[in-house]
Amino acid sequence: MVGLLLLTLRELRARKVVVGLFVVATLVWVVLAFALQLDVVDGSLAGARLFGQDAGASETLVLDGDGRPVIDPVTGEPMTEAAPPAFGGSLLESLVFGAQTFVAGAAYWIGILLALFATGGLVASLVERGQVDVLLTKPLSRSKVLAGRLAGVWVVMLALTVYLFGAVWLVMSIKSGIWNPRFLLAIGAVFGMFAVLYGVVALVGVWSGSAPLSLIATLALLFVTLVLAIPNLADQVSRVWRPLVVGLYAVLPKFGSVGTSLVPQLATGQPVASLTPLLSSLAFGAVCYAGAFALFSRKDY
């Protein structure tokens, strides 16, 4: 099994797309390191510039009890006041948490899709005539053959996620002096949801032997989960379709809910409202992997 894992790692290295993902991750934290310039004096933010532009505190209108703007009697202009930091605390913390949330969101919504495209064909290629025949002649069970291929993908994607999040965390922490270790917990959510979607890739890939079909099926499922995540969707459809909508939402992965709620909460250190969307998604992924292993062990090659 270890040999198959190493073989998968070499195959992934040969795919320039995977190397490109590491290059993109490097560019993200390098650009962030140079773009965000913080002037910290005695632990307080004296000035901040993002891409050369001042990133000062925004202002909001001062409203009276009736919700109308208060007029300055001297200037005759509406009065304003500094808006509170977006994530509470100081402006420095708000900037750091904001940058970390942006990176976590980009890794979740864009990084997972890029990783699927980079690795989606590996399972289908495993069951191709010629390659699968050679592998099955080895003194290994079929479950170990498939597990070795999947483990290679997981190792690379986990290493990529840890590298991106770890580098961003170190850069932001060293430059600002604000250490937010809970940002690293978002690694588990991002990698976990990638593993869930890759379970669909594995199941369809083993069943069909087609890399394009496995990716199309995964993207179709992803689209359906995003539609099901629309607030109060069940109340907006007819009663005939309502049980189907509710049932699908309960069974399918909660990709949208995890991305809009759990990942930002972990990235900013806020209290986590619920782990149910992530846990139910992991359960769905486990079922997909179980189906892939069962099908691979019984399929005639």
Side-chain angles (χ1 to χ4, degrees):
M1 177 176 172
V2 175
L4 289 173
L5 187 151
L6 296 177
L7 178 64
T8 303
L9 293 180
R10 286 196 295 268
E11 188 173 343
L12 283 170
R13 185 180 61 182
R15 291 171 177 256
K16 302 304 180 182
V17 177
V18 176
V19 177
L21 291 178
F22 278 93
V23 173
V24 171
T26 303
L27 290 176
V28 169
W29 69 260
V30 170
V31 170
L32 187 61
F34 286 98
L36 184 60
Q37 301 176 10
L38 303 176
D39 299 327
V40 182
V41 179
D42 296 330
S44 299
L45 182 63
R49 291 180 298 278
L50 187 61
F51 293 103
Q53 302 294 323
D54 289 334
S58 59
E59 295 183 340
T60 59
L61 291 174
V62 178
L63 305 178
D64 58 18
D66 298 327
R68 295 175 297 186
V70 176
I71 304 301
D72 191 324
V74 178
T75 63
E77 299 291 334
M79 297 180 62
T80 60
E81 62 182 359
F87 299 98
S90 64
L91 177 58
L92 177 58
E93 291 177 337
S94 182
L95 287 173
V96 172
F97 291 165
Q100 292 176 342
T101 302
F102 172 79
V103 172
Y108 185 82
W109 294 103
I110 301 177
I112 288 180
L113 292 178
L114 293 178
L116 288 175
F117 280 107
T119 61
L122 289 176
V123 174
S125 65
L126 177 68
V127 298
E128 289 179 351
R129 288 292 181 182
Q131 181 167 349
V132 67
D133 297 333
V134 173
L135 292 175
L136 293 181
T137 60
K138 306 297 181 181
L140 292 172
S141 65
R142 291 195 174 193
S143 61
K144 289 184 177 180
V145 171
L146 182 57
R149 176 54 59 98
L150 294 175
V153 175
W154 293 340
V155 167
V156 171
M157 291 304 107
L158 181 59
L160 175 62
T161 308
V162 171
Y163 170 67
L164 174 60
F165 279 72
V168 170
W169 178 66
L170 284 175
V171 167
M172 297 300 299
S173 300
I174 293 174
K175 295 197 68 172
S176 67
I178 295 178
W179 298 80
N180 175 31
R182 285 194 59 180
F183 168 69
L184 300 177
L185 295 178
I187 294 174
V190 173
F191 175 74
M193 292 306 295
F194 165 79
V196 169
L197 293 178
Y198 204 78
V200 181
V201 173
L203 178 59
V204 179
V206 170
W207 169 71
S208 67
S210 171
L213 181 59
S214 62
L215 285 174
I216 291 173
T218 304
L219 293 178
L221 174 66
L222 180 59
F223 175 77
V224 171
T225 62
L226 294 178
V227 172
L228 293 174
I230 297 176
N232 302 319
L233 178 63
D235 298 331
Q236 301 175 29
V237 300
S238 64
R239 293 185 177 181
V240 177
W241 297 102
R242 193 169 299 169
L244 177 62
V245 171
V246 174
L248 288 176
Y249 181 78
V251 173
L252 296 180
K254 314 297 187 297
F255 192 81
S257 299
V258 173
T260 57
S261 299
L262 182 60
V263 171
Q265 289 168 356
L266 292 174
T268 58
Q270 299 177 24
V272 175
S274 176
L275 289 175
T276 301
L278 177 61
L279 296 178
S280 63
S281 299
L282 292 176
F284 177 86
V287 172
C288 289
Y289 283 116
F293 276 97
L295 188 61
F296 186 71
S297 63
R298 299 176 183 177
K299 196 170 182 179
D300 184 24
Y301 293 103

